[in-house]
Amino acid sequence: RIMRPDDANIAGNVHGGIILKMIEEAGAIISTRHCNSQGGEPCVAALARVERTDFLSPMCIGEVANVSAEITYTSRHSVEVQVNVLSENILTGAKKVTNKATLWYVPLSLKNVNKVVEVPPMQYARKEQEDEGKKRYEEQKLDRLETKQKNGDLIFPVINPEPHTVGYSQSSLIHLVGPSDCTLLGFVHGGVTMKLMDEVAGIVAARHCKTNIVTASVDAINFHEKIKKGSVITISGRMTFTSNKSMEIEVFVDADPFVNESRERYRAVSAFFTYVSLSKEGKALPVPQLLTETEDEKRRFEEGKGRYLQTKAKRQAQMQQQA
């Protein structure tokens, strides 16, 4: 579809959350279609995880986004989907790849939302494809478990914070989950959640550097639990690390069942977003150094630095392989 002004920021760049939402919609369609392709119990595919996603180039107002999805692996109860996003300038005909993402879905029964149904097997062109997919499945399953065990932090307001501190830029958004946010099962679309997360992360980044900002990448987004229609969700973001030209922001979503529910608040989603600061000409600007004050903030900064260096090393290795 064509990108409209309400899809973009004030500089004309399409919000990362809009692109993430389109990616998830494509993944949900192809996964649900596959899981219902051989009869059996009717089901809807629910997003469980999004692997690291890099925003390779910005997309602008007036360009056409082409989103394509392909199933690359199936386990007994999950589906791996590869999604590619291509932007097209319909005035010049120029095309460029803007995003590549890998998503994992689980099929939930329409009759019993707590039941995960079996996934029809797919046919692989080569045995190696199945083996590689199984390896990716085991790795993401382990990472999801480790991430869920770490969740428990909360963000509290800071009185009169100093500029460039964690408390100065941290932000939260409260949203009542309505019918338009949900799937046929009455739970929130993963794409809706990711769009809200990107909005909060963008506010944190803009508050920190006071410039135009764009999403550069998103680390794995883990969906720990479903969010039911009628829940109140709190999307919270805080700066964890800054390099010379990038900012890492931790974002998590807490759900508070609001209508006819006695359950207490729980952590539903978590991820790390990376942003860059841009000039009016679209060139990367230096980012103000994050000032850490507490031991927890210093620990999170070092962890963020580790993720940054690991990603940097992977990119250098990929460039050498391509060369």
Side-chain angles (χ1 to χ4, degrees):
R1 69 178 181 84
I2 195 165
M3 296 292 98
R4 304 182 299 268
D6 57 344
D7 294 320
N9 60 20
I10 56 176
N13 301 121
V14 175
H15 286 292
I18 295 291
I19 298 172
L20 289 171
K21 188 170 183 289
M22 291 191 295
I23 288 173
E24 196 279 329
E25 288 173 350
I29 290 170
I30 193 172
S31 299
T32 300
R33 185 180 288 160
H34 175 79
C35 292
N36 289 280
S37 62
Q38 297 183 15
E41 191 169 347
C43 61
V44 171
L47 183 62
R49 175 181 167 92
V50 181
E51 302 292 356
R52 178 182 173 86
T53 305
D54 290 304
F55 289 74
L56 305 175
S57 62
M59 194 180 297
C60 301
I61 295 172
E63 292 184 334
V64 172
N66 296 276
V67 186
S68 59
E70 177 187 9
I71 293 175
T72 49
Y73 178 75
T74 58
S75 70
R76 185 181 179 186
H77 291 122
S78 65
V79 180
E80 181 191 52
V81 180
Q82 177 71 45
V83 181
N84 295 319
V85 183
L86 190 76
S87 69
E88 176 186 358
N89 185 319
I90 54 177
L91 300 180
T92 65
K95 297 179 181 180
K96 58 186 176 182
V97 177
T98 63
N99 297 82
K100 292 183 177 181
T102 301
L103 303 89
W104 293 90
Y105 289 83
V106 293
L108 303 179
S109 169
L110 279 176
K111 298 178 181 178
N112 179 5
V113 72
N114 295 314
K115 179 182 178 182
V116 179
V117 304
E118 290 195 13
V119 176
M122 66 172 288
Q123 299 296 319
Y124 301 94
R126 295 178 293 107
K127 180 66 167 58
E128 291 79 7
Q129 289 180 329
E130 183 176 8
D131 294 339
E132 291 167 359
K134 186 175 182 180
K135 182 180 178 181
R136 294 192 300 270
Y137 167 75
E138 295 295 341
E139 288 175 348
Q140 65 87 25
K141 188 176 180 181
L142 179 61
D143 188 73
R144 283 184 63 202
L145 180 61
E146 291 177 348
T147 305
K148 187 173 182 178
Q149 291 173 344
K150 293 178 183 177
N151 282 328
D153 287 353
L154 297 174
I155 291 180
F156 298 100
V158 178
I159 307 301
N160 298 322
E162 293 292 325
H164 304 144
T165 60
V166 176
Y168 184 79
S169 60
Q170 67 182 28
S171 304
S172 295
L173 182 152
I174 298 174
H175 178 75
L176 175 63
V177 176
S180 62
D181 299 322
C182 297
T183 67
L184 295 172
L185 295 172
F187 292 92
V188 178
H189 279 288
V192 171
T193 306
M194 291 193 291
K195 181 175 181 294
L196 293 172
M197 294 172 77
D198 181 73
E199 288 179 7
V200 170
I203 292 171
V204 173
R207 278 180 169 172
H208 181 78
C209 59
K210 304 294 185 182
T211 62
N212 177 42
I213 48 86
V214 293
T215 314
S217 64
V218 185
D219 269 12
I221 305 176
N222 289 291
F223 291 77
H224 308 295
E225 295 195 45
K226 299 184 291 292
I227 303 172
K228 193 174 182 179
K229 180 175 66 178
S231 297
V232 173
I233 56 175
T234 302
I235 305 97
S236 304
R238 65 184 170 199
M239 192 80 64
T240 51
F241 171 75
T242 54
S243 66
N244 291 333
K245 292 187 178 180
S246 67
M247 299 162 277
E248 182 192 71
I249 297 137
E250 181 182 22
V251 184
F252 42 81
V253 180
D254 293 320
D256 188 7
F258 188 62
V259 179
N260 299 325
E261 288 283 350
S262 58
R263 185 180 181 184
E264 296 182 353
R265 175 181 291 202
Y266 60 92
R267 180 64 44 84
V269 192
S270 59
F272 289 95
F273 286 69
T274 299
Y275 278 75
V276 293
S277 172
L278 296 180
S279 66
K280 292 181 180 180
E281 293 74 31
K283 295 185 178 180
L285 294 172
V287 171
Q289 181 72 13
L290 177 66
L291 302 178
T292 54
E293 299 175 300
T294 69
E295 290 302 317
D296 281 343
E297 290 173 359
K298 293 175 182 178
R299 173 183 55 79
R300 287 194 292 268
F301 186 92
E302 289 302 317
E303 291 174 350
K305 184 178 180 180
R307 287 186 290 269
Y308 169 76
L309 293 174
Q310 187 179 36
T311 300
K312 189 176 181 180
K314 286 182 179 179
R315 286 179 176 173
Q316 290 175 344
Q318 290 173 350
M319 291 176 64
Q320 290 176 352
Q321 288 179 351
Q322 291 173 356

